[in-house]
Amino acid sequence: MRKKDLCFFITVLLLLINVTSLSAEEHAIELGGEDGWDNFSTEKNIQKCLGRYGYESICIASASLTPSKTTDMFLSFENGTISDITDNYNVVFSSLTVNKSSIMGGYSALSRGTQKGLKLKGNENSIFGKKGVVGSFSIAFWLNPSLAENGETVLSWQSSRNINYEPLYQMIAGAFYNNKFEWTFTNVFSSPEGCESDITLTSSNMVVPSSWSYHVLNFDEETGLLEYYINGRLENLTYVTSSGTQEGVVYQAVLGVPATIEICPQFTGYIDDFSIQKTLIEPKVHQPMYYPDGGSFETNILGPFTTNSEITNVQSISTIPEQTDIQLFVRGAENCFGWTDETPEWIPVNDGVLSKSVVGTYFQLGARFYTDGQSKKTPLLTSVTILYNEKDPPLPPFSVFGESGNGSAKISWLSSVDESTDGYLLYYGTSPGEYLGRSAIEGNSPVDVEDAIEYVLTGLTNGKIYYFAISSYTITDSNSRIEGVLSKEIWVRPQRNKP
């Protein structure tokens, strides 16, 4: 065997050995993690929070109050701000500090003892911004006291109203006494005849320091029933009526001169989701901390990748408390147009393994979050890594040959050593490297010759040089074509057989 032929044989053999490893290369897309999460195409009941390694993670959104037309005040402390979401109250003074030690959402407010807390002034649309009959109302908040000592005050409102041209002192207060929480209403409730009633409503159980509890106070203008709940359990009630029972004449809440309302004027601890409603709140024994229906998201469409790329595995870093879960889904297609909720089909991922093959040029990730039975816990998703194979395009023919004819050129080549090759494209043109030919009877450049290894182009001009190159292609499962690079260029000059 000649030395030149031996070298050629060895080269072809090495290509054959490596063709399998070259046919597909694994890549990875990481979502979340150190770089955080981008915006989603759709999302429902989710929020960003701190997760594993201190990275930004996704969890179920807290079941915070959603303000409505009956919401008089709502302090959520989200986004690191202290303001009334309803815009019914303006902050006059605040010594509260926004803190991430929250129970609902990402933030709560920290009060440090005798620093006067938060003062708000209501407008004419608010309960405490005008005088007159209040109607039904509720006051609700989450509380985490550092202390539960006498005088620790969470709410205070002081004003006066004129009765027969005489000023009458009024007060509403919510404070701790003997480790219990006590509501006081002084000259607030009035009978139709103008008789005033002082009300004190004390919790039956002690409030435990350094733990969160949910407090709800309801007054029903129809029945006169004043109820106090902690964590959905009734602590105390009274009928604000002429007889002190449900049979008496109802005393209505009547406020005098508008005055500021103070939140945590003398309180040490955390407060979250403070609200006042112009209606009653339904207390729940198992007050949900997260949306009971869970949450979900879909990422923006990812890509483009090489045609016919295939997802091989989906890995995630997450925190899954007991009874909670996260279900991941992926889907893919060769184009990114016309995607709906149903198509392309969402494929579940279980322990990183896809239940069905996902192939395409574009991918999308979806996730469904499930809370526990009492909606007290949420799973956290820190990052997702999608592993996928990009199929390398097939190798071109190693050698190409040309033979001139009368108005024609016969081009032949050695088959590609790449086993994934399904066919060939024959490029031609009249300038080197520019294969823009249009004169051949067989068609414009490139001509699909399918799996042939020689082909004759006719209708060419005798005496004119034409340049040729061959590429290999693979047909994918979706009937699209992956084309490889061009072979080495050759030239042929068609000519007559006789002068």
Side-chain angles (χ1 to χ4, degrees):
M1 181 180 290
R2 292 181 300 173
K3 183 176 181 181
K4 183 177 179 180
D5 293 336
L6 179 61
C7 291
F8 172 76
F9 175 78
I10 293 174
T11 301
V12 172
L13 182 61
L14 289 174
L15 286 171
L16 286 171
I17 292 172
N18 287 285
V19 69
T20 302
S21 62
L22 289 172
S23 62
E25 183 178 352
E26 193 166 63
H27 301 266
I29 315 165
E30 184 179 34
L31 305 172
E34 187 174 3
D35 295 332
W37 290 86
D38 293 331
N39 294 329
F40 303 111
S41 63
T42 62
E43 59 181 272
K44 181 180 180 182
N45 297 342
I46 61 169
Q47 66 186 28
K48 294 180 179 179
C49 55
L50 287 180
R52 298 275 290 274
Y53 316 120
Y55 293 159
E56 178 183 83
S57 300
I58 305 298
C59 65
I60 302 172
S62 61
S64 298
L65 171 74
T66 301
S68 65
K69 292 181 179 179
T70 62
T71 305
D72 184 62
M73 177 195 297
F74 182 41
L75 305 170
S76 70
F77 310 111
E78 293 305 301
N79 300 320
T81 60
I82 298 177
S83 62
D84 172 31
I85 292 177
T86 69
D87 291 328
N88 287 331
Y89 293 83
N90 294 321
V91 175
V92 177
F93 171 85
S94 177
S95 65
L96 300 184
T97 302
V98 176
N99 194 281
K100 290 187 177 181
S101 297
S102 63
I103 183 70
M104 304 298 288
Y107 296 88
S108 66
L110 172 62
S111 178
R112 303 179 185 275
T114 59
Q115 296 181 349
K116 299 184 179 180
L118 173 65
K119 287 186 178 182
L120 302 110
K121 183 178 181 181
N123 60 30
E124 60 184 10
N125 297 318
S126 67
I127 290 178
F128 292 98
K130 61 184 178 183
K131 59 183 179 180
V133 177
V134 173
S136 296
F137 69 88
S138 65
I139 301 173
F141 49 85
W142 284 91
L143 204 64
N144 185 349
S146 298
L147 306 170
E149 297 179 350
N150 289 355
E152 289 277 306
T153 304
V154 174
L155 182 144
S156 177
W157 176 82
Q158 299 179 59
S159 182
S160 64
R161 57 188 288 250
N162 289 326
I163 301 294
N164 298 324
Y165 303 102
E166 293 291 331
L168 183 68
Y169 173 72
Q170 288 186 300
M171 181 186 74
I172 300 175
F176 284 94
Y177 291 97
N178 297 322
N179 297 106
K180 296 182 178 182
F181 199 83
E182 183 174 283
W183 291 96
T184 303
F185 294 85
T186 302
N187 297 324
V188 172
F189 293 98
S190 178
S191 71
E193 294 78 24
C195 299
E196 307 304 313
S197 176
D198 292 344
I199 302 294
T200 299
L201 209 60
T202 306
S203 65
S204 58
N205 295 294
M206 291 188 293
V207 177
V208 180
S210 300
S211 64
W212 285 101
S213 54
Y214 186 56
H215 300 248
V216 176
L217 179 77
N218 279 331
F219 173 70
D220 187 344
E221 65 177 330
E222 298 293 331
T223 63
L225 179 61
L226 183 67
E227 300 174 293
Y228 177 39
Y229 293 83
I230 298 179
N231 293 332
R233 293 181 172 83
L234 182 64
E235 294 289 324
N236 207 340
L237 65 82
T238 187
Y239 282 92
V240 190
T241 63
S242 57
S243 64
T245 68
Q246 58 184 350
E247 304 298 332
V249 177
V250 175
Y251 285 28
Q252 296 295 332
V254 183
L255 303 184
V257 179
T260 58
I261 181 171
E262 300 180 33
I263 311 297
C264 303
Q266 189 173 341
F267 172 74
T268 303
Y270 299 94
I271 190 168
D272 203 359
D273 274 17
F274 183 97
S275 70
I276 301 175
Q277 302 283 335
K278 297 177 182 178
T279 186
L280 305 180
I281 294 177
E282 179 185 358
K284 298 178 181 179
V285 174
H286 299 297
Q287 181 67 27
M289 293 172 54
Y290 301 97
Y291 278 99
D293 293 336
S296 63
F297 72 74
E298 296 175 11
T299 65
N300 294 314
I301 295 175
L302 309 170
F305 308 102
T306 300
T307 302
N308 210 41
S309 294
E310 180 177 7
I311 296 178
T312 58
N313 195 268
V314 179
Q315 302 172 355
S316 65
I317 296 176
S318 59
T319 302
I320 311 293
E322 187 178 3
Q323 296 185 20
T324 70
D325 200 7
I326 300 174
Q327 177 66 63
L328 298 178
F329 302 85
V330 289
R331 61 178 177 174
E334 292 301 337
N335 64 68
C336 58
F337 304 106
W339 289 33
T340 68
D341 291 341
E342 304 298 329
T343 57
E345 179 186 2
W346 285 104
I347 305 303
V349 178
N350 297 304
D351 296 325
V353 179
L354 282 63
S355 61
K356 187 178 179 181
S357 174
V358 174
V359 178
T361 305
Y362 296 89
F363 299 131
Q364 190 175 27
L365 171 73
R368 187 75 171 86
F369 294 74
Y370 299 92
T371 183
D372 65 306
Q374 295 183 356
S375 302
K376 300 289 186 183
K377 305 173 187 177
T378 177
L380 285 78
L381 184 61
T382 301
S383 69
V384 174
T385 300
I386 300 175
L387 301 177
Y388 65 98
N389 282 336
E390 283 190 341
K391 291 189 176 180
D392 291 338
L395 299 170
F398 187 75
S399 294
V400 181
F401 311 96
E403 183 180 339
S404 65
N406 185 9
S408 66
K410 179 181 179 181
I411 310 300
S412 60
W413 54 92
L414 296 178
S415 298
S416 171
V417 297
D418 200 321
E419 293 180 352
S420 66
T421 299
D422 292 313
Y424 303 93
L425 295 176
L426 172 56
Y427 287 81
Y428 70 98
T430 56
S431 296
E434 296 182 6
Y435 308 110
L436 307 176
R438 302 176 64 85
S439 60
I441 294 175
E442 290 69 27
N444 297 337
S445 176
V447 178
D448 186 354
V449 302
E450 299 181 346
D451 59 354
I453 57 172
E454 66 175 34
Y455 200 79
V456 177
L457 291 180
T458 60
L460 306 181
T461 303
N462 286 330
K464 192 172 187 177
I465 293 180
Y466 291 85
Y467 299 87
F468 301 88
I470 306 292
S471 70
S472 306
Y473 64 78
T474 297
I475 300 296
T476 68
D477 295 337
S478 58
N479 207 33
S480 59
R481 189 164 61 192
I482 301 176
E483 182 182 356
V485 298
L486 294 176
S487 67
K488 181 180 179 180
E489 181 181 82
I490 66 168
W491 63 269
V492 174
R493 190 194 308 270
Q495 56 184 351
R496 295 177 182 271
N497 295 330
K498 296 181 181 181

